[in-house]
Amino acid sequence: MNTSIGARLAGLVKSPTFATWSSFATKAASFVVLYPFVLRGYSQADIVFWLAVSLPGSMLAVVDAGMTPTAVRFFSYGLGAEGKAGQEPGKELWAIDAVVGTVRRIYLLLTLACFVLAGGMALWIASNQAPSASYSAGWALMVLSVTAYFWNFQHQAWLQASHRIAELRFRETKVQTSALVLSTILAMARVDILSIVMVNCGTLLVLVHLHRRSVLRGVHGETWKGTALFDRRIAGELYTSSWKSGVGIAMSYGLNQGLCAWYAATASATAAAQFLLTMRLLQVASQISQAPFYTKIPSMASSYARRDLQAVVEISRVGIRRSIWVFVVLGLGLLAILPVLLPLTGSKTEIMPPLWMAVAVLAIALERCGGMLVQAYTVSNVVHWHWLNTLVAAFAVGVAVVSWPGLDVLAIPVAWAAAMLLVYVPVGYGLSQGLFGRRAALELLSPSVPALLVLLFCLAVVALWPLVRA
């Protein structure tokens, strides 16, 4: 019995999925442990600064432009090609030192772009806040740490390709947990908000050092220490494989984070704090809900490689059902609990009104539904994120601009919900139908229907509740 328990624990320690969940859990714990002290003990200006200073870091995926997942594939390919010669179907066997050298050179250029974007965003937001020496120091430190962390993406990609995901994520969990404890102690003591920002920035720099040291001390460490061998052919392959995903990320996640930065820079301190806090909570809920589906992508890809489309559909259906219901539970939980919980903590910042939150939860649920349908189709290695996300973003922006005079800030979730319902989900269903057939596409869509109906019912209750009380 003890042997069996020990074996299971050992398996969990080596499990990439469990390690990823532990990292998510640490991030989610900050809302329970740290946020109440910050929201209760600091001014609105401090809270806006604390929430806004993380926005440039959230834009790293946009600067990355799909390069890191592409680098993971190329690193894996190069490692798998060692000792072989000739050709793989559809792909030349690149030497691993040439792949490493090319990726290193590309990340030098991308890191420069990251510094410019992070610095520009920091100046934009900071110039609209009340002047403060501590704020200026915090923004400068954030730009430097975020830039260093982005440069370190290449090392994280290497660790993933080397099947060291569990090591990578558990390291993040330990460092982030230590930072959470220290930040909470500082918040309880109500020290200057800059101290908490310094802890967050220091956490990034510590992870940069630990990830790089792990790479240099591992197999092929000498390759990473040597002179970069840039290969234009490999660079071309990397660019061809990543740009479509990059455009898709920029038109979805990038637009979302850019919207947060715009609101932080233009709204009042009270309104900006309210908006940023709500968006942060909903984004974490969305990230947590993705794991049940996205951890199944390797199995889906393997089944597709065997041309077993029914297996792909079944694996996808299970992942979609679990993912959508996880988000529904988390979203409705936030909608029901936060209006009651935040006042009890003495928070000086409220969340957005219930109607705004309900529409935002519905919009994210629709996005999860459409995104998973498109991702199931993408196992065929045909990528449509570039044009699809651009179309969705253009539609959403148009709806927001037209409806803003009448709805004000409510126009933001309304526009996203409309774009997801009228564009994203139908296109995702159409792509799935083209690959798997009509019946299978309905099987993929069906798990989301009950969850979306529950959300629509709750949305109706939230919308009608003021009338009932009156």
Side-chain angles (χ1 to χ4, degrees):
M1 184 68 175
N2 291 336
T3 304
S4 177
I5 294 176
R8 291 181 181 179
L9 290 176
L12 287 177
V13 171
K14 297 179 181 179
S15 169
T17 301
F18 182 76
T20 302
W21 273 108
S22 71
S23 181
F24 278 139
T26 304
K27 295 176 182 178
S30 65
F31 292 106
V32 179
V33 179
L34 175 61
Y35 272 56
F37 293 106
V38 175
L39 297 177
R40 181 174 65 242
Y42 292 86
S43 67
Q44 290 284 1
D46 282 344
I47 293 170
V48 171
F49 167 64
W50 179 63
L51 291 171
V53 80
S54 66
L55 289 175
S58 66
M59 295 292 286
L60 294 185
V62 178
V63 183
D64 185 71
M67 184 56 64
T68 294
T70 304
V72 171
R73 292 196 300 270
F74 272 65
F75 284 151
S76 299
Y77 187 80
L79 291 170
E82 287 186 297
K84 299 180 181 179
Q87 298 277 336
E88 291 282 334
K91 185 74 68 176
E92 183 177 345
L93 291 176
W94 305 113
I96 190 62
D97 57 343
V99 176
V100 170
T102 304
V103 169
R104 288 173 61 189
R105 186 75 62 84
I106 289 174
Y107 267 93
L108 286 177
L109 297 175
L110 291 177
T111 300
L112 177 61
C114 176
F115 178 79
V116 172
L117 176 63
M121 186 176 292
L123 289 173
W124 180 36
I125 299 175
S127 63
N128 288 273
Q129 295 177 346
S132 169
S134 64
Y135 289 179
S136 299
W139 282 112
L141 182 59
M142 177 279 303
V143 171
L144 294 176
S145 60
V146 162
T147 302
Y149 192 69
F150 177 84
W151 171 78
N152 193 243
F153 273 13
Q154 58 189 309
H155 301 127
Q156 297 184 43
W158 176 263
L159 293 173
Q160 292 179 57
S162 304
H163 303 289
R164 297 161 68 185
I165 299 176
E167 171 194 333
L168 171 68
R169 299 307 176 200
F170 277 128
R171 182 186 300 127
E172 292 176 347
T173 300
K174 289 186 286 187
V175 174
Q176 290 168 353
T177 300
S178 300
L180 175 60
V181 172
L182 179 57
S183 296
T184 303
I185 294 173
L186 294 174
M188 292 173 65
R190 297 189 180 182
V191 299
D192 193 292
I193 195 69
L194 176 62
S195 299
I196 300 177
V197 172
M198 289 176 65
V199 170
N200 294 334
C201 294
T203 300
L204 297 181
L205 295 176
V206 169
L207 288 173
V208 168
H209 169 70
L210 294 177
H211 291 334
R212 176 170 169 76
R213 186 180 67 173
S214 180
V215 169
L216 296 181
R217 291 184 176 183
V219 179
H220 293 290
E222 293 301 321
T223 299
W224 283 90
K225 295 177 184 177
T227 304
L229 301 174
F230 183 77
D231 190 306
R232 292 184 179 274
R233 296 175 301 162
I234 298 177
E237 289 278 355
L238 283 162
Y239 171 77
T240 301
S241 299
S242 67
W243 76 267
K244 292 181 179 180
S245 297
V247 171
I249 293 171
M251 290 296 104
S252 55
Y253 186 75
L255 181 62
N256 182 279
Q257 295 305 302
L259 175 65
C260 291
W262 167 77
Y263 203 76
T266 58
S268 66
T270 300
Q274 187 180 21
F275 180 81
L276 292 175
L277 175 61
T278 306
M279 289 296 293
R280 180 77 63 82
L281 292 167
L282 291 176
Q283 286 167 4
V284 169
S286 177
Q287 290 174 352
I288 292 174
S289 71
Q290 293 177 29
F293 177 82
Y294 284 93
T295 54
K296 297 183 181 298
I297 290 179
S299 298
M300 293 159 53
S302 298
S303 298
Y304 181 82
R306 298 191 300 268
R307 295 298 184 265
D308 189 351
L309 295 184
Q310 186 55 44
V312 176
V313 171
E314 180 59 27
I315 295 171
S316 300
R317 187 177 62 82
V318 172
I320 290 173
R321 183 179 68 247
R322 293 175 179 174
S323 181
I324 197 72
W325 277 110
V326 166
F327 179 76
V328 167
V329 171
L330 291 175
L332 292 180
L334 292 175
L335 184 61
I337 295 174
L338 285 177
V340 178
L341 184 61
L342 279 180
L344 293 178
T345 65
S347 171
K348 297 178 181 179
T349 300
E350 299 178 350
I351 60 170
M352 298 296 285
L355 180 60
W356 193 99
M357 275 203 68
V359 179
V361 169
L362 177 63
I364 296 175
L366 289 168
E367 187 273 335
R368 290 282 83 242
C369 174
M372 289 185 289
L373 290 173
V374 177
Q375 189 67 62
Y377 173 85
T378 305
V379 299
S380 63
N381 291 324
V382 180
V383 179
H384 291 295
W385 299 112
H386 54 310
W387 65 263
L388 175 56
N389 283 5
T390 300
L391 178 63
V392 170
F395 188 93
V397 169
V399 173
V401 170
V402 171
S403 60
W404 189 277
L407 298 178
D408 197 61
V409 73
L410 181 61
I412 295 173
V414 166
W416 277 111
M420 298 303 162
L421 179 63
L422 300 178
V423 180
Y424 206 41
V425 174
V427 172
Y429 172 76
L431 291 174
S432 297
Q433 184 176 356
L435 179 63
F436 302 113
R438 182 178 181 182
R439 181 176 179 180
L442 288 173
E443 288 184 30
L444 293 178
L445 182 63
S446 60
S448 300
V449 174
L452 294 175
L453 290 176
V454 168
L455 278 179
L456 287 171
F457 173 77
C458 294
L459 174 60
V461 170
V462 170
L464 296 175
W465 182 246
L467 299 177
V468 173
R469 292 183 62 184

